[in-house]
Amino acid sequence: MAFITANWNPLGEAFYRKIELYEMGWSLRDGLKECLVAAAPYGGPIALLRQPQRPSSSARPQLEIYSSSGANMASFPWKSGPVRQLGWTVCDDLLCIQEDGTVLIYDLFGAFKRHFSMGNEVVQNQVLEAKVFHSPYGTGVAIVTGASRFTLATNIDDLKLRRLPEVPGLQGAPSCWAVLTQDRQTKVLLANRADLYILDNTSCTPVTPPGLSLQSCSIVNMAVSFSYKYLALFTDSGHLWMGSANLKDKLSEVDTKVRTPPKQMVWCRRPKSQQPSVVIMWDRLLLVAGECTDTIQYTLDEESVCVAELDGVRIVGGSRHELLQEVPSACQDIFKIASMAPGALLLEAHKEYEKSSQKADEYLREIKEQSVLGEAVRQCVEAAGYEHEPETQKTLLRAASFGKCFLSNYPPEPFVSMCRDLKVLNSVREYTVGIPLTHTQYKQMTVQVLIDRLVYRKLYPLAIEICRYLKTPEYQGVSRVLKHWACCKVQQKEEPDESIAHAVSVKLGEAAGISYSEIAARAYECGRTELAIKLLEFEPRSGEQVPLLLKMKRSQLALSKAIESGDTDLVYTVVTYLKNEMNRGDFFMTLRNQPVALSLYRQFCKHQEQDTLKDLFNQDDDHQELGNFYVKASYKEKKLEARLSLLQSAVDEYNKAKNEFAAKATEEEMKLLRFQRRLDEEMGEALLGLSLQETLHALLTSNFHKQAEQLYRDFRVPDKSDLEGAAEAAIERRSEGEISTVLSRCSPTTDRALLERLNRARSTAAKK
């Protein structure tokens, strides 16, 4: 604590400090020399493309991926074309932009994911320079080709290439350029010696930064801030211009007194800071410039790379990893020499209290007299979040806790929240994890994104512990992590299906919100169909099981699962799929083995596909149902000959089914229809289609007694006992056709009760 300000350097009204994050765990023989380096923001991974130490025809570059602490995550020889630029997506995927315009995408562990091209014309002209940038649309790529043309892709996940207009007078690559994102539009700012242009979709516009004279100098480097709000330009005269990215306002201009073009230039500005500052790096010099004419200079003893962050700059070297940032105001107020800020006094009061000194009371009295004890607690809590050393964090939090004891209405939430945040941050900053997040970055990133990054790195135990510690809802926390773990587990080809399925079921148990079908789908994508089927056994929702089983061509199992679920819609879905996928014979044979599915399909065919229903009865040699089918079909025919033909087919089928009653009743129906036709021709009466009783009644009413007597002689009018016996037999067999036949013999006037009973029975039989 005594030397906490030892590494502070003043610049204007602010101080800057350089904090060591890690001693790098990698072993690089020549450091970062001859390496193409890309480090992801928010404490992300580092990618190196190392050239062979002894170039030869057989030697290949080596692509290596490390955590921020230097722990190796992947390493493999580069077998593709020459690489112009490396970069990271917002999801920590590595982009490798080749000379021919091909962009290859790898995950954190070096597994190839996919590739895309920046256009056919790039193959001929080749990529001179490339940049990876982040916009509101996602991760983008910008390139400049040998033809001095720029091409943009603002979102690599929804690839739409934009070729920007030509730049007048530009030959080859510009002296420097950067990508700007303003008002959801992506533009390119470039310098061609002393000329500055902005390229958008349709135009190339010359611009002039306010307050910068370019008559006798050229712009050799430029940098856009992390938020894309500010711009810095470095000229060959050694001047650094800082202003707004829209080139409307000038913030400051500093003479660095170094004319050599810098290797790198990045902004170093806290989100709420009023002071602009830019970090400029040469081979052995690191310079921080702000609003004032003074600068801060650091000597570099090794090859290093600067990584822009939300609230500072990370400096990655061959042996160490550091963070350069403006000292937050809360830390300045507390730790600045001779500070009388409330937080500083409270910290001193707590120190004296631990020494059992009466000075503690004097400091507390002074704070209370100024009525700033609440502000003192707030400053200590805030400053604790900005400190990287756990001991310093504890000291500040103890001081805040000490001050809270003398406040009756101080809300506990900020203190409790900071304690939780710091515990999470300290756990991910550990060397074995290697994510050196600051509190500002953590709040900007959110807990959910941090959990996603831990999961992506396969740090499942830590992710689960953080979820439980923060009491994250299970479906957003532990269950989500376990699902990712299971999806990763099923890809382990060296383990047998049984052991993986058992391990997944034991680990996941009854965890809320986990879909085994998603895990099974991942197993199927990896070519492990049997494992996917085993995992689906744990899926309680049949609606999730069946679609995947159909996708895996396990239609028989899908049909069984659908029937077990009792969901008729699901059964219909499978049956429809089977109908489209199988030939007709196999389809019918499959349904014969599943009575429930067959019954449902018959019900469907009754309303939608009558011909298919007939084929089903033929396939099963179900002569009784075929007879019923012909009888019902006859009622829809308007032509008598067609109707008689169908009824004759019904008689034949009833005879095959040995149903003498139905066959005889149908023959009687045919005989009646012929008699009615003859009566129609002789008398002009519309009797066709009436029942026997209705025909007799119509003849008597019209005084055709002779014809009525003939009808009575030729047709035995059944008495009530005959009809009731026939009805009982038809209802017992639940035969819709037989019931319809008996109904045709009933009179609506004398057999009303029997008609109602038969109609109810026919409705029940129709639902069968």
Side-chain angles (χ1 to χ4, degrees):
M1 289 290 294
F3 303 99
I4 199 165
T5 60
N7 62 345
W8 289 17
N9 292 283
L11 184 67
E13 297 181 357
F15 288 86
Y16 288 78
R17 64 184 179 185
K18 195 163 64 164
I19 303 166
E20 183 173 304
L21 300 175
Y22 303 108
E23 287 187 6
M24 299 303 283
W26 56 31
S27 55
L28 305 179
R29 183 175 177 181
D30 296 320
L32 298 180
K33 289 181 180 178
E34 304 299 327
C35 286
L36 192 59
V37 184
Y42 292 96
I46 304 168
L48 307 178
L49 186 62
R50 301 172 62 189
Q51 299 301 327
Q53 295 176 359
R54 295 180 180 178
S56 66
S57 58
S58 60
R60 292 183 179 274
Q62 191 78 4
L63 183 60
E64 299 172 352
I65 300 175
Y66 296 91
S67 71
S68 288
S69 59
N72 186 271
M73 303 174 74
S75 178
F76 57 93
W78 184 256
K79 298 180 181 180
S80 194
V83 176
R84 288 295 187 196
Q85 186 67 32
L86 299 175
W88 292 94
T89 69
V90 291
C91 300
D92 280 354
D93 284 333
L94 178 63
L95 302 182
C96 303
I97 306 170
Q98 294 189 155
E99 194 178 67
D100 62 358
T102 303
V103 182
L104 292 88
I105 305 178
Y106 295 84
D107 69 12
L108 261 177
F109 300 98
F112 177 75
K113 298 183 74 172
R114 62 185 178 92
H115 75 280
F116 63 89
S117 174
M118 292 298 290
N120 294 328
E121 67 278 2
V122 182
V123 178
Q124 296 179 350
N125 298 315
Q126 297 193 335
V127 177
L128 296 182
E129 294 179 6
K131 294 185 187 294
V132 177
F133 62 92
H134 300 147
S135 72
Y137 303 102
T139 301
V141 173
I143 61 169
V144 57
T145 67
S148 303
R149 297 296 298 270
F150 286 85
T151 301
L152 277 180
T154 52
N155 182 5
I156 63 170
D157 294 322
D158 182 19
L159 193 65
K160 294 177 183 177
L161 299 177
R162 292 162 40 201
R163 198 175 184 206
L164 303 185
E166 290 187 25
V167 180
L170 181 62
Q171 298 292 329
S175 54
C176 59
W177 60 285
V179 180
L180 302 176
T181 299
Q182 299 172 350
D183 302 325
R184 298 187 70 84
Q185 290 186 351
T186 305
K187 304 175 183 180
V188 170
L189 176 69
L190 66 101
N192 185 18
R193 297 183 181 178
D195 299 320
L196 202 61
Y197 300 93
I198 286 185
L199 288 176
D200 58 19
N201 291 344
T202 58
S203 63
C204 174
T205 308
V207 291
T208 303
L212 177 63
S213 174
L214 294 173
Q215 296 177 356
S216 58
C217 60
S218 300
I219 298 172
V220 295
N221 208 327
M222 63 176 63
V224 182
S225 67
F226 196 84
S227 62
Y228 291 94
K229 292 182 179 179
Y230 304 102
L231 174 70
L233 304 173
F234 190 88
T235 68
D236 58 0
S237 64
H239 284 77
L240 175 69
W241 180 92
M242 288 175 276
S244 60
N246 58 15
L247 296 172
K248 292 182 179 180
D249 302 308
K250 176 182 176 180
L251 298 176
S252 69
E253 187 172 343
V254 178
D255 184 3
T256 65
K257 299 181 175 56
V258 182
R259 291 176 176 267
T260 307
K263 289 177 60 179
Q264 252 190 301
M265 194 164 73
V266 293
W267 278 82
C268 179
R269 183 185 179 115
R270 298 192 64 80
K272 296 181 181 180
S273 173
Q274 298 300 315
Q275 172 164 300
S277 59
V278 174
V279 175
I280 312 169
M281 189 179 71
W282 289 271
D283 284 334
R284 288 290 181 264
L285 176 65
L286 193 73
L287 184 143
V288 184
E291 283 184 319
C292 62
T293 56
D294 295 331
T295 60
I296 302 172
Q297 297 188 11
Y298 297 95
T299 302
L300 299 175
D301 55 4
E302 59 183 350
E303 192 84 11
S304 300
V305 174
C306 292
V307 184
E309 289 285 5
L310 174 68
D311 56 347
V313 175
R314 283 193 291 141
I315 304 165
V316 182
S319 61
R320 69 179 66 89
H321 190 165
E322 299 171 307
L323 174 67
L324 174 62
Q325 63 175 181
E326 178 187 338
V327 178
S329 57
C331 298
Q332 288 189 45
D333 291 340
I334 292 175
F335 296 118
K336 195 163 55 176
I337 296 173
S339 173
M340 295 299 290
L345 294 176
L346 180 58
L347 183 61
E348 288 300 319
H350 180 253
K351 286 180 182 178
E352 296 300 327
Y353 171 75
E354 288 186 325
K355 296 176 186 177
S356 301
S357 170
Q358 62 182 11
K359 289 184 179 180
D361 184 57
E362 295 174 8
Y363 284 121
L364 278 174
R365 285 177 184 274
E366 185 175 351
I367 297 171
K368 285 183 175 181
E369 286 172 3
Q370 299 176 29
S371 301
V372 290
L373 185 54
E375 175 65 13
V377 173
R378 186 200 64 78
Q379 283 184 349
C380 287
V381 171
E382 183 182 350
Y386 295 129
E387 293 299 323
H388 277 251
E389 286 296 327
E391 286 304 318
T392 309
Q393 297 168 4
K394 290 177 184 177
T395 300
L396 289 165
L397 290 173
R398 287 181 185 129
S401 180
F402 175 68
K404 282 200 315 153
C405 296
F406 302 95
L407 291 169
S408 58
N409 58 351
Y410 186 83
E413 289 80 11
F415 181 84
V416 173
S417 177
M418 183 59 73
C419 290
R420 286 177 177 167
D421 290 348
L422 287 175
K423 188 163 185 177
V424 171
L425 284 171
N426 289 334
S427 66
V428 299
R429 288 171 183 167
E430 285 288 335
Y431 177 85
T432 53
V433 179
I435 304 179
L437 281 176
T438 65
H439 188 262
T440 305
Q441 295 167 15
Y442 172 67
K443 285 301 184 183
Q444 178 73 17
M445 174 190 281
T446 72
V447 176
Q448 289 300 322
V449 176
L450 177 59
I451 296 300
D452 287 341
R453 294 207 169 186
L454 292 173
V455 166
Y456 194 36
R457 295 179 183 219
K458 301 181 182 179
L459 298 172
Y460 304 111
L462 178 59
I464 290 173
E465 285 303 314
I466 290 175
C467 290
R468 288 174 176 163
Y469 176 70
L470 296 177
K471 298 180 180 178
T472 307
E474 199 164 353
Y475 68 94
Q476 292 179 338
V478 174
S479 293
R480 190 163 60 96
V481 176
L482 287 173
K483 186 188 79 172
H484 281 282
W485 167 83
C487 289
C488 181
K489 184 74 174 176
V490 298
Q491 299 177 51
Q492 297 177 359
K493 296 181 179 179
E494 65 277 4
E495 285 196 50
D497 295 345
E498 287 286 350
S499 63
I500 290 179
H502 177 72
V504 169
S505 66
V506 170
K507 183 72 73 174
L508 270 56
E510 300 296 326
I514 292 182
S515 171
Y516 280 92
S517 62
E518 292 182 28
I519 303 167
R522 179 63 61 86
Y524 177 64
E525 289 170 6
C526 297
R528 306 189 68 168
T529 306
E530 293 304 319
L531 174 59
I533 293 172
K534 292 180 186 298
L535 290 169
L536 281 178
E537 293 295 328
F538 303 114
E539 174 59 61
R541 296 167 295 178
S542 298
E544 298 291 330
Q545 290 178 314
V546 170
L548 183 57
L549 287 170
L550 292 177
K551 185 179 179 181
M552 295 190 294
K553 308 296 183 185
R554 299 302 178 99
S555 51
Q556 300 279 4
L557 184 57
L559 183 58
S560 299
K561 293 292 183 183
I563 293 170
E564 288 174 12
S565 71
D567 186 342
T568 54
D569 289 338
L570 200 57
V571 177
Y572 278 130
T573 300
V574 180
V575 170
T576 304
Y577 174 86
L578 292 174
K579 180 184 173 186
N580 295 331
E581 290 294 316
M582 304 172 74
N583 62 57
R584 203 174 184 85
D586 292 341
F587 173 61
F588 288 159
M589 288 301 294
T590 301
L591 291 185
R592 286 184 68 182
N593 298 325
Q594 298 286 356
V596 174
L598 179 60
S599 176
L600 286 170
Y601 187 61
R602 282 179 176 175
Q603 191 68 29
F604 168 78
C605 291
K606 282 181 183 179
H607 301 286
Q608 302 291 335
E609 299 179 2
Q610 291 288 327
D611 290 339
T612 304
L613 186 63
K614 177 184 172 184
D615 292 340
L616 273 172
F617 295 147
N618 271 321
Q619 179 84 6
D620 295 340
D621 291 332
D622 193 339
H623 301 293
Q624 176 66 41
E625 288 297 339
L626 269 173
N628 297 341
F629 173 82
Y630 286 127
V631 169
K632 283 185 282 187
S634 71
Y635 291 128
K636 298 177 183 178
E637 288 292 341
K638 297 190 180 298
K639 293 182 178 180
L640 180 61
E641 293 304 324
R643 187 171 180 180
L644 289 171
S645 176
L646 287 169
L647 288 173
Q648 183 57 54
S649 297
V651 171
D652 295 340
E653 295 299 331
Y654 285 139
N655 286 327
K656 292 177 184 177
K658 298 181 180 180
N659 188 340
E660 295 179 4
F661 172 80
K664 187 174 181 181
T666 307
E667 288 174 345
E668 291 285 314
E669 177 72 13
M670 294 170 64
K671 184 177 176 182
L672 177 63
L673 286 170
R674 292 189 181 99
F675 184 80
Q676 289 172 338
R677 180 176 62 180
R678 185 164 56 81
L679 291 176
D680 284 352
E681 292 172 352
E682 292 176 358
M683 303 164 48
E685 290 286 332
L687 301 175
L688 197 65
L690 296 180
S691 67
L692 183 62
Q693 285 85 354
E694 289 169 339
T695 305
L696 184 62
H697 182 266
L699 290 173
L700 293 172
T701 305
S702 301
N703 294 320
F704 293 110
H705 298 284
K706 183 178 179 181
Q707 288 82 356
E709 290 176 4
Q710 184 182 354
L711 177 68
Y712 196 81
R713 286 195 310 270
D714 294 347
F715 297 90
R716 188 180 71 84
V717 179
D719 57 21
K720 191 158 187 172
S721 61
D722 291 336
L723 286 173
E724 288 179 352
E728 286 292 339
I731 292 171
E732 184 178 349
R733 279 196 284 264
R734 298 183 182 180
S735 171
E736 192 177 351
E738 291 183 24
I739 293 172
S740 299
T741 303
V742 177
L743 276 169
S744 68
R745 298 301 183 99
C746 296
S747 171
T749 54
T750 60
D751 304 314
R752 185 175 299 172
L754 188 59
L755 278 170
E756 290 178 359
R757 185 181 171 199
L758 286 167
N759 281 322
R760 285 197 301 271
R762 185 166 64 174
S763 299
T764 303
K767 294 177 182 177
K768 182 178 64 174

